[in-house]
Amino acid sequence: MTLFPGIFRGPLEESILRRAQEKGLVQIRVHDLRSWTHDKHRVVDEPPYGGGAGMVLKPEPVFEAVEALKAGPQSRVLLLTPQGVPFTHSLAAAFSAEHHLVLLCGRYEGFDDRIRSLVDLEVSIGDYILTGGELPALVVLDAVIRLVPGVLGDAASAAQESFAGGLLDFPQFTRPPEYRGLAVPEVLLSGNHEAIRRWRRKEALRRTLTRRPELLTAAVLSEEDRALLKEVAQEVEAEAGGEAPLRLRRGSPR
Ligand code: SAM
């Protein structure tokens, strides 16, 4: 539900999001909040009680819209707001298993606070303020839809990506094997699948340790992972001239 349905046109009509709809894997409907106004000027906003800058979205059309758009108890109503819970991969995975999501996009100073009684979850895409909830809704839609079974050609590609397994993804390379003096790691050209698997896991651990070490505390690590992590930590420390790996993050991440 939005005041600016046109914003959704491009992103929903291209590439994977378009194909997901064409294949019938997801249905997306964009609704104009003004459809639930009853006055000649289709007014949706008013100045805030108590004074101050900007306009606030009135409760009446929002209540009517949500009541009309909900499809029974299986619907989840999500409010896009910078005050919501941070949107993460695990939230995207949980949403991808839901049957029906209603996304509410704010504008101006946001909604009259009473509409929160309609909402199941308030979601933020980051600690910054955008002009409206449309881009956040598209971020949520994109992250959720690519996890719906059948949307990505190769389900393994979603499973191995950053965050899916609690780690950042390993670095990827493609042809040519050398470009401007920059060579692809030899192991990737070796055809040795076990060595490649081990290298990739180790590099995923290295990326995570040097860029997002806090993810390692929640990641599920095998015996092999712990051994690889020890190797990585020693290598990183040696490279940094004895500095702890964490200090690296403040320099240039690799
Ligand atoms: N006055 C509000 C506040 O400080 O919380 C911000 C209003 S913002 C200018 C207008 C709308 O953009 C919000 O109602 C929300 O729907 C959307 N929005 C802006 N930043 C967002 C973010 N980081 N995550 C999710 N939605 C956001």
Side-chain angles (χ1 to χ4, degrees), residues 57 79-83 104-111 123-134 136:
L57 294 168
L79 172 64
L80 281 321
T81 163
Q83 302 181 21
L104 306 180
C105 306
R107 276 272 153 181
Y108 317 126
E109 291 308 311
F111 292 99
V123 180
S124 164
I125 65 157
D127 288 348
Y128 40 79
I129 303 295
L130 297 160
T131 53
E134 290 76 15

Side-chain angles (χ1 to χ4, degrees), residues 58-200:
K58 292 157 61 65
E60 307 95 308
V62 184
F63 269 76
E64 286 190 35
V66 171
E67 280 156 12
L69 296 177
K70 272 182 84 161
Q74 82 267 42
S75 295
R76 300 279 170 268
V77 180
L78 309 181
L79 172 64
L80 281 321
T81 163
Q83 302 181 21
V85 297
F87 185 58
T88 57
H89 178 80
S90 50
L91 216 43
F95 291 162
S96 73
E98 291 289 347
H99 191 73
H100 185 224
L101 301 171
V102 179
L103 299 161
L104 306 180
C105 306
R107 276 272 153 181
Y108 317 126
E109 291 308 311
F111 292 99
D112 179 296
D113 214 58
R114 286 169 288 187
I115 70 108
R116 290 176 57 227
S117 63
L118 301 166
V119 169
D120 294 305
L121 191 65
E122 300 182 26
V123 180
S124 164
I125 65 157
D127 288 348
Y128 40 79
I129 303 295
L130 297 160
T131 53
E134 290 76 15
L135 294 177
L138 283 164
V139 167
V140 170
L141 280 173
D142 190 295
V144 170
I145 290 171
R146 64 194 297 288
L147 296 178
V148 169
V151 168
L152 293 185
D154 179 3
S157 69
Q160 76 171 28
E161 268 164 336
S162 296
F163 309 114
L167 300 181
L168 299 184
D169 200 1
F170 51 80
Q172 298 274 18
F173 297 88
T174 186
R175 279 192 281 256
E178 191 178 321
Y179 181 67
R180 299 196 180 196
L182 300 168
V184 171
E186 235 167 78
V187 62
L188 297 178
L189 312 175
S190 69
N192 181 338
H193 296 301
E194 174 52 20
I196 292 170
R197 183 201 63 76
R198 191 175 181 282
W199 181 87
R200 285 181 161 171

